[in-house]
Every structure is written in structure tokens, then in C-alpha cells.
Amino acid sequence: MLFEVLRNPTYQRLFGAQIIALLGTGLLTVALGLLAFDAAGGEAGVVLGMVFFIKMVAYVGLSPLANAVVSRLPPRRVLVAMDLVRAVAALCLPFVDSIWQIYLLIFVLQGASATFTPTFQALIPEILPDERQYTRALSLSRLAYDLENLVSPVLAGLALLFVSYHWLFGGTTFGFLLSALLVVSATLPHRERAQQAQPFLDRLSRGMRIYLATPRLRGLLSLNLAAASIGAMVIVNTVVIVRAGFGLGEPQVAMALGAFGAGSMTAALLLPRLLDRLDDRTVMLAGAAVVSTLFLGLSLGLGSFTRPGWGGFLALWLVIGFCYAVVLTPSGRLLRRSAQTADLSPVFAAHFALSHACWLVTYPLAGWLGARLGMAETALVLGLLAVAGVLTALFLWPVRGDKSVLEHVHTDLDPADPHIANAVRTPHGWRHAHVFNIDDRHRRWPSH
């Protein structure tokens, strides 16, 4: 059962905090659009575009830095502090009187999110050490994100029937405060932090060094590029395809995005059983290969008389949403498998930054190409970029080297070093096996 993981009281509280914070963020998105229109009128689109750009810059630039700064602090303090920062920033937004203040508050809010999210994600593997349970938690997280996209606009619309949009910021603030209370009420594991004695620059680069030195994570980054290429096309250009291509209205735009979300939720429900039978590499590469192929086919359909009908387009968006979630949902399993407990937080922070860097490229690319070349050509370019991501992942993440525990040899450690307490002495050094970590000072890399 997918929901059996909620029997864990600690995870239950943290999952509740995640859902409430996501709903608050969804209300914020609606309120920001209305605030931008009040502040800039016809230039509201420019303001919102800048807001989303600031969000991605904060995610990419601040996540590893913030992780290095807060690595000495207990996770509970970090999560509660970041929720409070986000609550204060949201509460200030209704009182701004110039556009630069919106940009500043959004940077503060998203910077806090760039600290909160990797810290939160790194806690879940410690709370749920069983991989089967952790897989179900990842699927629930995917479901939460998709449901937020559906539920938040509905809640915002209902609220706007009775109050002005300024009160939506109050709902966002309340959501972050309630999230902080749930984190406080949860019993979090005590974490020994070996990196506390390390210099700041070493802590700052630790997650990136581990991430980029691990074959499966380099492959994961390539697959994130493929997923971002597809996701950017859907998020940015669905409205153009539906309104200009099919000549339909706003309800049909919502219907198309809903089909994409329904496909993603279906994948989240089915993935736990699928991953019980197949390995992550096979599932993720298959999903990425299928969605890349579909996009190349879409580019041909949009540019010819074989354009799919409205029903075919909805079915296509449903399948694309399914494959999109298949590629992204298992990411946490790979991160967990590639780092020791003390390194989970910096590795999750590195992934958070690098994966959003892919979106920082594909979002403006999808918009710029769509405006200048047309939808068929944009789908072709982004589809080819996704194919490149899949092929790169195949090269960087070979199947024969994808082991949870890797055997390796040390030549420069003292025999009394506890790290090699159970190692076997060989003519070449001390041989043993454990979860791969870049700081283990290998004589040679394991065969990948």
C-alpha cells in the first residue's frame, strides 16, 4: 500500500508540513500574479517572468552555500527558521509599493526555500531507512506536488469570491507557520555531523564533489536535463498550442495541464510496485527515452497536416506527464544510495542546485524559441535536447558500475584508521567496500 508509510508518526508530521507549505506556495503564486498586475499593469508578464528568474537564481546559487552555512545546526532549527523567514516575507508582500520590493522579498523567500527543501529532503531517508518505505515516500511527495497544482488555484478562486487577493498572502503566511509547528512537533533523528570540523570552503564544495564524482548521479543530472526540456515545453507553451494551435479557450488550457498532471499522478501511484521489480536505471532511462521520442513525433505533428486531434493531444500530454514523473520521482533513491548519512544534506543541496540549473536554461529557451520559431520547431529543439540528455546518461551511468556499495582500495591510510577496520590487506593496499564517497581518498576509482 502506498499510504502505509504514513503510519510512521515522524514522517506523517513532516509530510503534513510539506503539503501545507505547498498549498501556501500555490496561493502565493496566484496572489503574485494579481499583485504584479496592480503594480505594473500591462507589464505584469515582465514582472512575473523576472520573479520566476529570481526564483531559479536563488535555487541554483544559494542552495549549496546555505547548506554549508547551516551544516553545523540541527535540522529542526534550520527547517523552523526557514519557515519563519518565508512567513515574514509573504506577510510583507501585500504592503509593497514598488516593483523592486517585490523582487527583494521573492529573493528572500526563495532563498529560504533553497535552504529548507534540501534539508527536508535529506531527513526523509534517515526517518525511513527501509528503501521500500522510502520509495513510497517519494511517490507521495510527487503526488503532493501534482495535487498542489490542481488544488491551490481552486482554493484561491474560492477565497477570491469573498476577500481581496491580499488575504491570499495571509493564507501563505499561515501555511508556513503551521508547517513550522508540525516540524517542531516531530521527533527528528539525531545526526552526527563529521563535516563540522571541516573548513567552510570544504563544506561548500563537498556536495558538488560527491555528486559529480558519482557515475549514477552524473547520469541523473543528464536525465534531469531531459526532463527539464520536456517540462519547460509543457509549462511554457501549452497555452500557446491550445489557444493559437487548436483555437480553443482557457478551460481547454486547464484541461491540457490537468491531463499532464493526471499522468504524473498515475506514475506516482504505480512507481513503487514498478521499482520493486525493476532497477532505477532501467525505469528512468525507459521513461526518458519514450518521452523524448514522443516529443520528436510531436514536432512533426505540429508542423504538418497530421496534427493530432484534441483528444489525441490530451492523451499525448497524459503519457508525457506519466513519463516525466517516471524520470524524476526515483531521484531521491539514487541520492540516498550515493552518500553516507553525514553527506546526505550536501548531496541533496547539490542536486537541488544542479537540477534547477537545467530549468534555468530550458525555461527561457522554450519561451524564446516558441516566440521566434514556432511550436513545431521548439518541440523539435527541446526534443533533441532531451535525446542528448538520455544518450549522455547512458554513457555516464553504465549498468555494470551501478552498485550501492562499491569495492575500492586505500593506499594512504594508517592501518589503525577506523575507516579500514574491516578491510583486507592486499599487495596494493587495504581493500574494502561501502557506500561510495568522494572523500575516501581512493588509490584508484572502482571499475564503473
Side-chain angles (χ1 to χ4, degrees), residues 24 70 87 118 121 142 155 164 217 247 257 291 303 309 312-314 359 390 409 415 435:
V70 305
Q121 292 173 336
R142 181 77 254 167
L155 291 178
S164 74
L217 298 187
L257 292 174
V291 76
F313 178 75
L314 290 179
W359 288 94
V390 175
V409 174
V435 174

PDB file of all heavy atoms in Angstrom, residues 24 70 87 118 121 142 155 164 217 247 257 291 303 309 312-314 359 390 409 415 435:
ATOM      1  N   GLY A  24       0.306  26.719   0.638  1.00  0.00           N
ATOM      2  CA  GLY A  24       0.602  28.129   0.850  1.00  0.00           C
ATOM      3  C   GLY A  24       1.359  28.732  -0.318  1.00  0.00           C
ATOM      4  O   GLY A  24       1.085  29.860  -0.749  1.00  0.00           O
ATOM      5  N   VAL A  70      24.588  26.346   7.254  1.00  0.00           N
ATOM      6  CA  VAL A  70      23.744  25.781   8.322  1.00  0.00           C
ATOM      7  C   VAL A  70      24.127  24.361   8.693  1.00  0.00           C
ATOM      8  O   VAL A  70      23.465  23.739   9.525  1.00  0.00           O
ATOM      9  CB  VAL A  70      22.252  25.821   7.914  1.00  0.00           C
ATOM     10  CG1 VAL A  70      21.822  27.220   7.536  1.00  0.00           C
ATOM     11  CG2 VAL A  70      21.964  24.847   6.757  1.00  0.00           C
ATOM     12  N   ALA A  87       7.478  32.936   6.052  1.00  0.00           N
ATOM     13  CA  ALA A  87       6.222  33.513   6.536  1.00  0.00           C
ATOM     14  C   ALA A  87       6.315  35.038   6.608  1.00  0.00           C
ATOM     15  O   ALA A  87       5.387  35.752   6.195  1.00  0.00           O
ATOM     16  CB  ALA A  87       5.881  32.933   7.912  1.00  0.00           C
ATOM     17  N   PRO A 118      16.289  21.148   0.498  1.00  0.00           N
ATOM     18  CA  PRO A 118      17.281  20.071   0.578  1.00  0.00           C
ATOM     19  C   PRO A 118      17.452  19.516   1.994  1.00  0.00           C
ATOM     20  O   PRO A 118      17.661  18.303   2.163  1.00  0.00           O
ATOM     21  CB  PRO A 118      18.578  20.739   0.102  1.00  0.00           C
ATOM     22  CG  PRO A 118      18.144  21.931  -0.674  1.00  0.00           C
ATOM     23  CD  PRO A 118      16.887  22.397  -0.007  1.00  0.00           C
ATOM     24  N   GLN A 121      14.490  17.222   2.456  1.00  0.00           N
ATOM     25  CA  GLN A 121      14.623  16.001   1.652  1.00  0.00           C
ATOM     26  C   GLN A 121      15.673  15.056   2.216  1.00  0.00           C
ATOM     27  O   GLN A 121      15.509  13.838   2.156  1.00  0.00           O
ATOM     28  CB  GLN A 121      14.970  16.377   0.211  1.00  0.00           C
ATOM     29  CG  GLN A 121      13.852  17.078  -0.532  1.00  0.00           C
ATOM     30  CD  GLN A 121      14.277  17.580  -1.893  1.00  0.00           C
ATOM     31  OE1 GLN A 121      15.462  17.815  -2.152  1.00  0.00           O
ATOM     32  NE2 GLN A 121      13.326  17.774  -2.794  1.00  0.00           N
ATOM     33  N   ARG A 142       5.671  13.245  -4.877  1.00  0.00           N
ATOM     34  CA  ARG A 142       5.288  13.579  -6.250  1.00  0.00           C
ATOM     35  C   ARG A 142       3.791  13.870  -6.342  1.00  0.00           C
ATOM     36  O   ARG A 142       3.350  14.824  -7.000  1.00  0.00           O
ATOM     37  CB  ARG A 142       5.649  12.394  -7.158  1.00  0.00           C
ATOM     38  CG  ARG A 142       5.339  12.577  -8.623  1.00  0.00           C
ATOM     39  CD  ARG A 142       6.358  13.452  -9.279  1.00  0.00           C
ATOM     40  NE  ARG A 142       5.859  14.779  -9.561  1.00  0.00           N
ATOM     41  CZ  ARG A 142       6.618  15.789  -9.911  1.00  0.00           C
ATOM     42  NH1 ARG A 142       7.922  15.640 -10.006  1.00  0.00           N
ATOM     43  NH2 ARG A 142       6.107  16.959 -10.145  1.00  0.00           N
ATOM     44  N   LEU A 155      -8.651  26.647  -4.467  1.00  0.00           N
ATOM     45  CA  LEU A 155      -8.785  27.309  -3.160  1.00  0.00           C
ATOM     46  C   LEU A 155      -8.668  28.826  -3.305  1.00  0.00           C
ATOM     47  O   LEU A 155      -9.418  29.577  -2.675  1.00  0.00           O
ATOM     48  CB  LEU A 155      -7.716  26.793  -2.200  1.00  0.00           C
ATOM     49  CG  LEU A 155      -7.847  25.340  -1.738  1.00  0.00           C
ATOM     50  CD1 LEU A 155      -6.688  24.962  -0.832  1.00  0.00           C
ATOM     51  CD2 LEU A 155      -9.178  25.128  -1.021  1.00  0.00           C
ATOM     52  N   SER A 164     -10.271  40.086  -0.868  1.00  0.00           N
ATOM     53  CA  SER A 164      -9.340  40.552  -1.891  1.00  0.00           C
ATOM     54  C   SER A 164      -8.126  39.639  -1.938  1.00  0.00           C
ATOM     55  O   SER A 164      -7.867  38.864  -1.001  1.00  0.00           O
ATOM     56  CB  SER A 164      -8.897  41.984  -1.587  1.00  0.00           C
ATOM     57  OG  SER A 164      -7.987  42.010  -0.499  1.00  0.00           O
ATOM     58  N   LEU A 217      24.949   9.624 -10.394  1.00  0.00           N
ATOM     59  CA  LEU A 217      24.443  10.981 -10.198  1.00  0.00           C
ATOM     60  C   LEU A 217      24.744  11.871 -11.397  1.00  0.00           C
ATOM     61  O   LEU A 217      23.965  12.771 -11.719  1.00  0.00           O
ATOM     62  CB  LEU A 217      25.008  11.587  -8.914  1.00  0.00           C
ATOM     63  CG  LEU A 217      24.626  10.863  -7.626  1.00  0.00           C
ATOM     64  CD1 LEU A 217      25.098  11.636  -6.403  1.00  0.00           C
ATOM     65  CD2 LEU A 217      23.120  10.615  -7.560  1.00  0.00           C
ATOM     66  N   GLY A 247      -7.106  26.741 -31.405  1.00  0.00           N
ATOM     67  CA  GLY A 247      -8.155  27.758 -31.403  1.00  0.00           C
ATOM     68  C   GLY A 247      -9.163  27.586 -30.294  1.00  0.00           C
ATOM     69  O   GLY A 247     -10.332  27.960 -30.447  1.00  0.00           O
ATOM     70  N   LEU A 257      -3.269  20.978 -19.119  1.00  0.00           N
ATOM     71  CA  LEU A 257      -2.341  20.907 -17.992  1.00  0.00           C
ATOM     72  C   LEU A 257      -2.814  19.875 -16.970  1.00  0.00           C
ATOM     73  O   LEU A 257      -2.002  19.203 -16.327  1.00  0.00           O
ATOM     74  CB  LEU A 257      -2.210  22.287 -17.342  1.00  0.00           C
ATOM     75  CG  LEU A 257      -1.513  23.346 -18.204  1.00  0.00           C
ATOM     76  CD1 LEU A 257      -1.574  24.709 -17.525  1.00  0.00           C
ATOM     77  CD2 LEU A 257      -0.061  22.956 -18.478  1.00  0.00           C
ATOM     78  N   VAL A 291       9.557   9.598 -23.629  1.00  0.00           N
ATOM     79  CA  VAL A 291       9.061  10.977 -23.696  1.00  0.00           C
ATOM     80  C   VAL A 291       9.855  11.788 -24.725  1.00  0.00           C
ATOM     81  O   VAL A 291       9.288  12.658 -25.408  1.00  0.00           O
ATOM     82  CB  VAL A 291       9.112  11.632 -22.298  1.00  0.00           C
ATOM     83  CG1 VAL A 291      10.514  12.044 -21.898  1.00  0.00           C
ATOM     84  CG2 VAL A 291       8.178  12.838 -22.232  1.00  0.00           C
ATOM     85  N   GLY A 303       3.932  20.449 -37.150  1.00  0.00           N
ATOM     86  CA  GLY A 303       4.392  21.128 -38.358  1.00  0.00           C
ATOM     87  C   GLY A 303       3.811  20.565 -39.639  1.00  0.00           C
ATOM     88  O   GLY A 303       4.281  20.886 -40.721  1.00  0.00           O
ATOM     89  N   GLY A 309      -5.694  15.268 -33.191  1.00  0.00           N
ATOM     90  CA  GLY A 309      -6.909  15.947 -32.780  1.00  0.00           C
ATOM     91  C   GLY A 309      -6.833  16.312 -31.305  1.00  0.00           C
ATOM     92  O   GLY A 309      -5.879  15.977 -30.605  1.00  0.00           O
ATOM     93  N   GLY A 312      -6.472  13.319 -29.091  1.00  0.00           N
ATOM     94  CA  GLY A 312      -5.124  12.762 -29.207  1.00  0.00           C
ATOM     95  C   GLY A 312      -4.093  13.604 -28.473  1.00  0.00           C
ATOM     96  O   GLY A 312      -3.151  13.072 -27.862  1.00  0.00           O
ATOM     97  N   PHE A 313      -4.284  14.932 -28.527  1.00  0.00           N
ATOM     98  CA  PHE A 313      -3.357  15.824 -27.829  1.00  0.00           C
ATOM     99  C   PHE A 313      -3.438  15.617 -26.318  1.00  0.00           C
ATOM    100  O   PHE A 313      -2.421  15.566 -25.627  1.00  0.00           O
ATOM    101  CB  PHE A 313      -3.675  17.272 -28.189  1.00  0.00           C
ATOM    102  CG  PHE A 313      -2.798  18.278 -27.482  1.00  0.00           C
ATOM    103  CD1 PHE A 313      -1.486  18.471 -27.871  1.00  0.00           C
ATOM    104  CD2 PHE A 313      -3.301  19.010 -26.419  1.00  0.00           C
ATOM    105  CE1 PHE A 313      -0.674  19.400 -27.218  1.00  0.00           C
ATOM    106  CE2 PHE A 313      -2.509  19.935 -25.758  1.00  0.00           C
ATOM    107  CZ  PHE A 313      -1.186  20.122 -26.162  1.00  0.00           C
ATOM    108  N   LEU A 314      -4.650  15.483 -25.778  1.00  0.00           N
ATOM    109  CA  LEU A 314      -4.812  15.246 -24.343  1.00  0.00           C
ATOM    110  C   LEU A 314      -4.174  13.916 -23.945  1.00  0.00           C
ATOM    111  O   LEU A 314      -3.523  13.816 -22.887  1.00  0.00           O
ATOM    112  CB  LEU A 314      -6.287  15.261 -23.958  1.00  0.00           C
ATOM    113  CG  LEU A 314      -7.008  16.614 -24.014  1.00  0.00           C
ATOM    114  CD1 LEU A 314      -8.467  16.443 -23.619  1.00  0.00           C
ATOM    115  CD2 LEU A 314      -6.329  17.626 -23.098  1.00  0.00           C
ATOM    116  N   TRP A 359      16.570  23.847 -15.415  1.00  0.00           N
ATOM    117  CA  TRP A 359      15.366  24.634 -15.670  1.00  0.00           C
ATOM    118  C   TRP A 359      15.712  26.078 -16.001  1.00  0.00           C
ATOM    119  O   TRP A 359      15.014  26.730 -16.792  1.00  0.00           O
ATOM    120  CB  TRP A 359      14.440  24.585 -14.453  1.00  0.00           C
ATOM    121  CG  TRP A 359      13.774  23.272 -14.258  1.00  0.00           C
ATOM    122  CD1 TRP A 359      14.196  22.236 -13.463  1.00  0.00           C
ATOM    123  CD2 TRP A 359      12.572  22.816 -14.886  1.00  0.00           C
ATOM    124  NE1 TRP A 359      13.325  21.176 -13.546  1.00  0.00           N
ATOM    125  CE2 TRP A 359      12.318  21.513 -14.410  1.00  0.00           C
ATOM    126  CE3 TRP A 359      11.683  23.395 -15.789  1.00  0.00           C
ATOM    127  CZ2 TRP A 359      11.212  20.780 -14.820  1.00  0.00           C
ATOM    128  CZ3 TRP A 359      10.579  22.668 -16.196  1.00  0.00           C
ATOM    129  CH2 TRP A 359      10.355  21.369 -15.715  1.00  0.00           C
ATOM    130  N   VAL A 390      19.378  11.877 -22.642  1.00  0.00           N
ATOM    131  CA  VAL A 390      19.251  10.423 -22.488  1.00  0.00           C
ATOM    132  C   VAL A 390      20.533   9.720 -22.923  1.00  0.00           C
ATOM    133  O   VAL A 390      21.038   8.820 -22.229  1.00  0.00           O
ATOM    134  CB  VAL A 390      18.049   9.899 -23.298  1.00  0.00           C
ATOM    135  CG1 VAL A 390      17.988   8.375 -23.243  1.00  0.00           C
ATOM    136  CG2 VAL A 390      16.749  10.502 -22.773  1.00  0.00           C
ATOM    137  N   VAL A 409      40.193   0.404  -3.010  1.00  0.00           N
ATOM    138  CA  VAL A 409      41.461   0.175  -2.325  1.00  0.00           C
ATOM    139  C   VAL A 409      42.011   1.498  -1.801  1.00  0.00           C
ATOM    140  O   VAL A 409      41.992   2.506  -2.496  1.00  0.00           O
ATOM    141  CB  VAL A 409      42.490  -0.482  -3.279  1.00  0.00           C
ATOM    142  CG1 VAL A 409      43.850  -0.572  -2.602  1.00  0.00           C
ATOM    143  CG2 VAL A 409      42.006  -1.854  -3.705  1.00  0.00           C
ATOM    144  N   PRO A 415      47.122   1.822   9.180  1.00  0.00           N
ATOM    145  CA  PRO A 415      46.418   0.568   9.484  1.00  0.00           C
ATOM    146  C   PRO A 415      45.475   0.679  10.667  1.00  0.00           C
ATOM    147  O   PRO A 415      44.515  -0.103  10.776  1.00  0.00           O
ATOM    148  CB  PRO A 415      47.568  -0.405   9.777  1.00  0.00           C
ATOM    149  CG  PRO A 415      48.728   0.149   9.020  1.00  0.00           C
ATOM    150  CD  PRO A 415      48.574   1.641   9.072  1.00  0.00           C
ATOM    151  N   VAL A 435      29.338   2.416   0.916  1.00  0.00           N
ATOM    152  CA  VAL A 435      28.725   3.410   0.049  1.00  0.00           C
ATOM    153  C   VAL A 435      29.794   4.386  -0.425  1.00  0.00           C
ATOM    154  O   VAL A 435      30.586   4.894   0.350  1.00  0.00           O
ATOM    155  CB  VAL A 435      27.606   4.171   0.792  1.00  0.00           C
ATOM    156  CG1 VAL A 435      27.070   5.319  -0.059  1.00  0.00           C
ATOM    157  CG2 VAL A 435      26.482   3.220   1.149  1.00  0.00           C
TER     158      VAL A 435
END
